């Protein structure tokens, strides 16, 4: 075993997760991935917002497949343990597991060199008798290993796009990174399965054919695997029953969980809860805003601020609970190119700030609604949007009550506030 080749890390981390109180068994997904090994469907990229269980699932696959761990006893107790055919594959593969979010460098070349050097070191230790070329790269070393031994490899890459958010990465670095992945994975005989996770879609970054072998599955437009990431209502129900049995003085209600953390829509028509927030609420015995924002999330609001005339009214309506018609663009996740309302809101769907259903985007739940209002209030010149949202809610209540005087005052506010924001 090594640092990246047949590392114990996924097995250790997944076993810890499986032992946790509020664990949800998603091991049936393993069987779906087993069907892809060694076929022309072996390239898979699954994109989801942060905190939707991508790393847990990557660890699960690594723990099940890697030769370095003895995990049959663990998985025998889970759903996959009832699948005799699937269990024949447990701990039978060479797994190269890389978490690309572990960034310890401050420039691209040292970042990618550290990864390549670590992998080469693992390969040379595992296969010392192979005739390597001194100047050969990782892909060449893998080709030589397969030619000499017949051994092939499964690649599990978690947070494949993490480097794209690093401040030191340039557009040229992004291109180099895509070429690195292409050289390592595309049309290589040693690849049995290449499984990648991330927030951002590959297609946005590949203008040519760098990674066109990958089938991409996002939450908003692709139905397959919709039920795998995030918690559905039944799963939350099981967790809540466990919470009630274990908690002396429960402060969290079932309806509260739904209001706070449900509401993410998938292309298959599923409604999903934010899994991290549900678990945190049950562990802490408190409904709370567990959403964390940093990096790209804050940058999204930079684009809102600089395009506020295009999005301000729709933001106000969504902050008041309305849904906005929009044809989302799957590729609109590159933060350097958010110039229109369609691109901005599409990126918000990708990052989980908004959700999408039947041609409309909206804020999915109370947790995000609170975060949305907080971010709007804290950003320079966006206070008007928040005010307008409040007025929109007040207008609705006044309309329902037939309060014409209040309606008139609100309409005056909306009509008289026409100056652009942030100027």
């Amino acid at each position: 075993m090594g640092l990246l080749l047949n590392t114990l890390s996924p097995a250790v981390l997944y076993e810890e997760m499986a032992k946790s109180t509020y664990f949800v068994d998603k091991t049936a997904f393993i069987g779906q991935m087993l069907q892809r090994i060694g076929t022309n469907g072996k390239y898979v990229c699954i994109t989801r917002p942060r905190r939707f269980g991508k790393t847990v699932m990557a660890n699960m696959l690594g723990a099940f497949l890697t030769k370095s761990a003895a995990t049959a006893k663990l998985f025998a107790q889970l759903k996959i343990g009832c699948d005799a055919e699937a269990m024949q594959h447990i701990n039978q593969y060479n797994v190269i597991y890389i978490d690309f979010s572990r960034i310890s460098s401050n420039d691209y070349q040292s970042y990618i060199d550290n990864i390549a050097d670590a992998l080469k070191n693992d390969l040379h230790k595992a296969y010392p008798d192979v005739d390597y070329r001194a100047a050969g790269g990782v892909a060449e070393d893998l080709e030589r290993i397969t030619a000499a031994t017949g051994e092939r490899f499964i690649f599990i890459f978690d947070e494949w796009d993490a480097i794209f958010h690093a401040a030191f990465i340039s557009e040229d670095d992004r291109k180099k990174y895509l070429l690195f992945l292409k050289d390592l994975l595309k049309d290589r005989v040693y690849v049995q399965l290449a499984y990648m996770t991330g927030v951002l879609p590959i297609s946005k970054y590949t203008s040519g054919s760098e990674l066109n072998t990958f089938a991409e599955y996002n939450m908003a437009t692709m139905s397959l695997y919709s039920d795998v990431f995030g918690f559905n209502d039944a799963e939350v129900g099981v967790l809540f029953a466990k919470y009630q049995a274990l908690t002396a003085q429960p402060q969290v209600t079932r309806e509260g969980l739904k209001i706070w953390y449900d509401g993410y829509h998938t292309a298959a028509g599923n409604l999903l809860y934010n899994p991290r927030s549900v678990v945190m609420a049950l562990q802490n015995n408190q409904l709370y805003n567990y959403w964390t924002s940093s990096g790209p999330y804050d940058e999204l609001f930079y684009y809102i601020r600089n395009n506020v005339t295009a999005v301000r009214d729709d933001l106000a309506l969504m902050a008041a609970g309305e849904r906005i018609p929009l044809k989302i663009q799957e590729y609109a996740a590159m933060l350097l190119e958010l110039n229109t309302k369609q691109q901005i809101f599409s990126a918000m769907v990708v990052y989980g700030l908004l959700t999408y259903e039947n041609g409309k985007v909206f804020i999915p739940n109370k947790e995000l609604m609170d975060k949305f209002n907080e971010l709007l209030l804290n950003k320079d010149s966006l206070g008007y949007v928040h005010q307008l949202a409040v007025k929109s809610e007040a207008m609705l209540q006044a309309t329902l009550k037939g309060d014409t005087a209040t309606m008139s005052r609100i309409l005056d506010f909306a009509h008289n506030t026409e100056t652009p924001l942030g100027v």
Side-chain angles (χ1 to χ4, degrees), residues 52 72 74-75 81 142 163 194 209-211 228 231 252 261 276 282 303 330 348 379 385 413-414:
F52 259 75
L74 168 65
F75 284 100
L142 285 163
I163 190 65
S209 59
E210 287 91 341
L211 296 174
V228 176
F231 292 166
V252 174
Y261 310 121
R276 176 181 180 273
L282 297 180
Y303 289 101
E330 292 181 57
M348 286 182 148
K379 298 299 175 181
V385 175
F413 167 83

Side-chain angles (χ1 to χ4, degrees), residues 339-351:
N339 299 311
T340 68
K341 178 178 77 172
Q342 189 176 30
Q343 291 171 339
I344 291 169
F345 288 164
S346 295
M348 286 182 148
V349 171
V350 168
Y351 283 103

Side-chain angles (χ1 to χ4, degrees), residues 60-77:
M60 180 186 73
L61 282 175
F64 186 89
L65 296 170
T66 184
K67 288 180 176 180
S68 66
T71 55
K73 184 177 179 180
L74 168 65
F75 284 100
Q77 303 171 53

Side-chain angles (χ1 to χ4, degrees), residues 161-332:
D161 57 330
I163 190 65
F164 282 35
H165 302 313
F168 58 81
I169 294 297
S170 67
E171 185 63 28
D172 187 53
D173 292 333
R174 292 184 176 95
K175 293 176 182 178
K176 290 178 182 177
Y177 176 62
L178 290 171
L179 290 174
F180 168 79
L181 293 179
K182 174 188 176 182
D183 182 57
L184 182 61
L185 299 175
K186 187 175 180 182
D187 298 329
R188 295 293 191 178
V189 68
Y190 54 73
V191 177
Q192 286 182 294
L193 176 71
Y195 175 88
M196 300 203 310
T197 76
V199 175
L200 306 181
I202 295 172
S203 57
K204 175 59 187 177
Y205 300 96
T206 54
S207 57
S209 59
E210 287 91 341
L211 296 174
N212 63 1
T213 52
F214 277 85
E216 294 192 66
Y217 301 93
N218 63 54
M219 189 162 67
T221 64
M222 297 297 292
S223 297
L224 193 58
Y225 309 132
S226 289
D227 59 340
V228 176
F229 297 82
F231 292 166
N232 62 36
D233 200 63
E235 289 167 339
V236 172
V238 172
L239 296 183
F240 184 71
K242 184 178 292 188
Y243 158 79
Q244 287 185 304
L246 296 174
T247 307
Q249 295 181 316
Q251 300 298 313
V252 174
T253 66
R254 183 68 179 83
E255 182 62 20
L257 287 174
K258 188 171 187 64
I259 292 170
W260 272 82
Y261 310 121
D262 194 13
Y264 292 93
H265 288 256
T266 73
N270 306 111
L271 271 173
L272 297 177
Y273 293 72
N274 182 313
R276 176 181 180 273
S277 296
V278 169
V279 170
M280 292 291 289
L282 297 180
Q283 285 178 340
N284 295 336
N285 193 24
Q286 181 180 2
L287 294 169
Y288 184 74
N289 190 329
Y290 296 104
W291 178 272
T292 56
S293 67
S294 61
Y297 299 86
D298 289 337
E299 289 183 47
L300 283 171
F301 282 89
Y302 164 83
Y303 289 101
I304 292 173
R305 185 183 64 200
N306 287 276
N307 295 274
V308 72
T309 55
V311 302
R312 64 176 184 177
D313 293 337
D314 287 338
L315 283 173
L317 288 170
M318 284 191 287
E322 297 295 320
R323 301 184 177 203
I324 303 302
L326 189 83
K327 184 176 181 181
I328 64 169
Q329 296 177 328
E330 292 181 57
Y331 57 85

